[in-house]
Amino acid sequence: MSYNNVQDWIINREDWTPVEKLGETFGSIVDISPYAGYNLPYDVGVKVWESLGGLIAWLINLIVPGNPVSLALVSDWFTNALAIVVMVVVIFAIGFVTNLTMIWQERKFLGRQMDRRGTMIGPLGYLQCLGDGLKTFMKENVAPRAIDKKIYWWGVVLVIGTSVLLACMIPLSPRWYIVNYNTGLLLIFAFFALAPFLIMCAGWAQNNKYSLIGGLRAAELMISYEVPMLILFAATVYMTGSYNIGEIIQWQEDNIWLIVPQIIGFFVCVVCAIAESERVPFDLSEAEAELVEGWQTEYAGMKWGLIMLGDYFRGFVACALVCIMYLGGWSMPVIESFGWYYQYFPELFMVLKTCFVFIFFITARGALPRVRTDQIVNVGWKVLMPLAVINLVITILIKWVVDNGGVF
């Protein structure tokens, strides 16, 4: 095949379906169904590389005409591989911007709760987040001598890495996802369950008694609230009949948002999500007045900044899970009836819903005092656990009624 000009190198494949090519790469992992028939970030990656790669190939061909490298750069397999890389970068970039927006949102809301204006740097104070991030990256990267170096470094890397991975695994619409796993919700909860172990190991590796106590507290706190969360997860799966996030949201579109039949589960889930994110009033693992920053005591500079960023990523995931399980995810009962909704706005409404749930987190931080360790554990095991079981029983009864006569 010959190429005469730059337009020939920048290929337009009208018959090149992104999900089909993605399926060729990941095989049977991807659910190529009518519901998951289009992947917007992957399509963006395809178009970006076709333009950029075609331009690079044309320039190389001008210098060395007829070389195999230029043809390889615009081949299907190379375009597919680079499109996947661009897809992941795009999804991470959107998640990162959403994370910064939630940090800005918290500062503004807390400022209003305290009768002050909040951050004022940049447009509406948004650039304060970037300034703080730049400040932490400019600080000296130090570490104590008497640490277990492997666990010290790998512990924090895995805590941050799993938080970012969780954020990227959250789909924002039927067309915005990395891979449409049939066990998506189960995988997200599985990665959530890694945090107590990793944080406890990171606290132990610092050779600091305050860090060790903070790590143990964090593990105790998270385990106490993960069990009720798993019971709520079981109730959602039992009602909708699927682990797939898209199918759970589709069930709510076709029937009713689960906040209605599972109102108890919604409030329990919000409290558990706040605890899982280690936020006030459930931040005993970072009690500055007692533990000198808890399990993060010996993580300074850039490491501390990334840990804080990872905490907000986990907060984003927790809020998104509340939206997925109880608020219909990206669905909007009235607006979705218009044909343009799923064409332009589902991702935006999913982010807006997530930020709405985050308001509960901010309000709890501004209104409630820190809770003692024994009180935290008692709330988790003696209050939220029975409520989660009651929610599951109600779900089973509703499901039985539906199967024997129909409600929805």
Side-chain angles (χ1 to χ4, degrees):
M1 182 176 181
S2 62
Y3 299 96
N4 299 317
N5 51 51
V6 66
Q7 285 84 5
D8 293 337
W9 289 96
I10 300 175
I11 307 164
N12 293 315
R13 299 181 178 88
E14 298 297 336
D15 58 341
W16 206 60
T17 305
V19 172
E20 291 178 355
K21 287 296 180 183
L22 193 62
E24 291 178 10
T25 302
F26 288 104
S28 59
I29 297 177
V30 181
D31 176 20
I32 303 178
S33 61
Y35 188 80
Y38 178 70
N39 190 314
L40 177 59
Y42 181 74
D43 195 20
V44 170
V46 170
K47 289 180 170 57
V48 166
W49 181 250
E50 283 187 346
S51 301
L52 180 61
L55 179 61
I56 295 172
W58 173 71
L59 291 174
I60 295 175
N61 191 67
L62 284 179
I63 300 172
V64 185
N67 68 89
V69 176
S70 296
L71 295 175
L73 288 176
V74 294
S75 62
D76 283 358
W77 67 269
F78 199 84
T79 301
N80 186 43
L82 268 296
I84 293 172
V85 174
V86 175
M87 174 188 72
V88 174
V89 171
V90 169
I91 289 178
F92 171 76
I94 296 300
F96 182 75
V97 172
T98 303
N99 204 18
L100 291 182
T101 303
M102 293 176 71
I103 297 174
W104 168 82
Q105 176 189 1
E106 180 169 25
R107 287 176 162 174
K108 280 296 187 181
F109 269 78
L110 281 178
R112 294 302 181 182
Q113 288 178 345
M114 300 173 185
D115 198 23
R116 56 184 178 85
R117 299 180 68 88
T119 174
M120 297 292 293
I121 298 177
L124 299 176
Y126 195 87
L127 295 183
Q128 178 69 55
C129 305
L130 299 177
D132 289 342
L134 180 62
K135 178 185 69 174
T136 58
F137 276 92
M138 292 177 64
K139 288 187 175 182
E140 184 179 2
N141 187 18
V142 297
R145 292 181 180 178
I147 60 173
D148 189 312
K149 292 185 178 180
K150 290 183 178 180
I151 300 179
Y152 176 85
W153 287 105
W154 277 107
V156 68
V157 167
L158 291 174
V159 169
I160 299 168
T162 53
S163 300
V164 174
L165 177 62
L166 282 169
C168 292
M169 289 177 64
I170 295 293
L172 299 183
S173 74
R175 63 184 181 182
W176 189 280
Y177 57 91
I178 290 184
V179 177
N180 186 26
Y181 289 104
N182 287 326
T183 56
L185 200 60
L186 185 62
L187 281 174
I188 290 175
F189 274 94
F191 279 111
F192 248 123
L194 291 175
F197 173 73
L198 296 174
I199 289 175
M200 185 173 63
C201 290
W204 173 83
Q206 297 171 53
N207 194 28
N208 182 308
K209 60 182 180 182
Y210 299 112
S211 301
L212 177 59
I213 294 173
L216 292 173
R217 281 183 173 184
E220 181 182 27
L221 166 69
M222 290 182 171
I223 291 173
S224 299
Y225 286 84
E226 277 179 357
V227 177
M229 281 279 281
L230 288 174
I231 297 176
L232 299 175
F233 160 74
T236 299
V237 172
Y238 183 75
M239 176 67 81
T240 60
S242 176
Y243 293 100
N244 185 287
I245 293 176
E247 292 178 3
I248 290 173
I249 295 175
Q250 185 64 51
W251 188 94
Q252 295 180 71
E253 283 187 5
D254 297 337
N255 299 281
I256 190 172
W257 286 5
L258 287 178
I259 189 175
V260 177
Q262 298 186 16
I263 184 66
I264 297 175
F266 170 75
F267 287 107
V268 173
C269 189
V270 170
V271 176
C272 291
I274 296 174
E276 281 290 300
S277 305
E278 297 184 87
R279 297 178 55 85
V280 178
F282 304 104
D283 67 332
L284 260 293
S285 58
E286 303 171 7
E288 294 91 344
E290 305 171 25
L291 302 176
V292 200
E293 199 57 32
W295 71 271
Q296 307 169 21
T297 303
E298 303 296 348
Y299 288 110
M302 179 182 67
K303 299 188 293 294
W304 182 86
L306 290 175
I307 290 173
M308 289 292 102
L309 187 65
D311 287 344
Y312 276 94
F313 269 117
R314 293 177 65 82
F316 162 72
V317 173
C319 294
L321 285 176
V322 174
C323 293
I324 289 168
M325 293 172 61
Y326 297 101
L327 300 179
W330 51 75
S331 66
M332 295 296 293
V334 178
I335 301 177
E336 69 189 18
S337 61
F338 299 98
W340 46 260
Y341 173 71
Y342 276 113
Q343 186 176 359
Y344 300 108
F345 296 112
E347 298 86 8
L348 176 62
F349 276 84
M350 179 65 182
V351 172
L352 289 177
K353 278 188 181 181
T354 303
C355 292
F356 170 75
V357 175
F358 194 57
I359 293 176
F360 290 96
F361 289 44
I362 300 170
T363 304
R365 177 175 178 176
L368 299 176
R370 179 176 288 121
V371 185
R372 293 200 318 261
T373 306
D374 60 316
Q375 292 173 330
I376 284 181
V377 175
N378 285 336
V379 169
W381 290 107
K382 296 182 179 180
V383 178
L384 298 184
M385 173 71 79
L387 289 176
V389 173
I390 292 172
N391 179 75
L392 179 60
V393 172
I394 293 174
T395 301
I396 294 172
L397 292 175
I398 292 176
K399 186 70 171 177
W400 181 83
V401 172
V402 170
D403 293 340
N404 291 272
V407 174
F408 303 123

